[in-house]
Amino acid sequence: MTTSGLSYSELSEDAKQNALNSFIDFYVSQYNKGSLEILGSRVSNELIATINQVLRDNQFMDHHELTEVSARLSKPAYQEILSDLTDVKYQEDGEPVVDWMTAWSEKEEQLPEED
């Protein structure tokens, strides 16, 4: 299945910021649910550990505050993840062609079942 759209590196600066914000919001939600296996199988665990350390240190914050702090302190790690996820395509405004939750649900269904 090929979805047409732009890769992260092809986006304008404003669109990259939009993509980054939507991904950070999604990432923090998945972190809070303990659901980062798919991402862990696709990108450097070092990047994930860097981001997760900031999230752990600030877990007393609500979702909105946590996304802001995480964006400020882990922005380079998030940007590297988005650059590494070359199969994710974006619209010109930076919104993913297939929203993060939908794309993740489909990938989760493909994971092997644990006994």
Side-chain angles (χ1 to χ4, degrees):
M1 177 181 99
T2 329
T3 312
S4 62
L6 302 168
S7 67
Y8 180 71
S9 62
E10 296 171 311
L11 295 173
S12 69
E13 285 310 307
D14 285 346
K16 279 184 178 175
Q17 189 59 49
N18 194 18
L20 187 65
N21 292 341
S22 84
F23 181 70
I24 292 171
D25 186 54
F26 171 75
Y27 186 101
V28 171
S29 296
Q30 294 303 102
Y31 171 83
N32 286 331
K33 285 194 250 176
S35 183
L36 292 171
E37 301 85 11
I38 293 167
L39 194 59
S41 69
R42 312 246 339 260
V43 298
S44 159
N45 286 324
E46 198 174 308
L47 292 172
I48 290 174
T50 300
I51 293 168
N52 290 356
Q53 183 61 52
V54 169
L55 296 176
R56 258 193 310 280
D57 291 347
N58 296 286
Q59 61 191 3
F60 59 89
M61 295 179 172
D62 70 24
H63 180 85
H64 181 73
E65 290 174 309
L66 201 51
T67 56
E68 286 183 357
V69 166
S70 187
R72 193 172 70 242
L73 300 177
S74 303
K75 186 176 179 180
Y78 284 117
Q79 289 170 320
E80 196 168 330
I81 288 173
L82 289 176
S83 295
D84 289 349
L85 294 175
T86 53
D87 60 334
V88 176
K89 298 298 178 198
Y90 301 90
Q91 298 166 37
E92 284 189 19
D93 64 359
E95 285 300 317
V97 171
V98 178
D99 76 84
W100 293 111
M101 272 322 295
T102 304
W104 240 239
S105 300
E106 289 169 6
K107 293 198 185 323
E108 258 175 5
E109 287 167 15
Q110 296 166 4
L111 283 178
E113 297 281 324
E114 288 184 26
D115 293 330

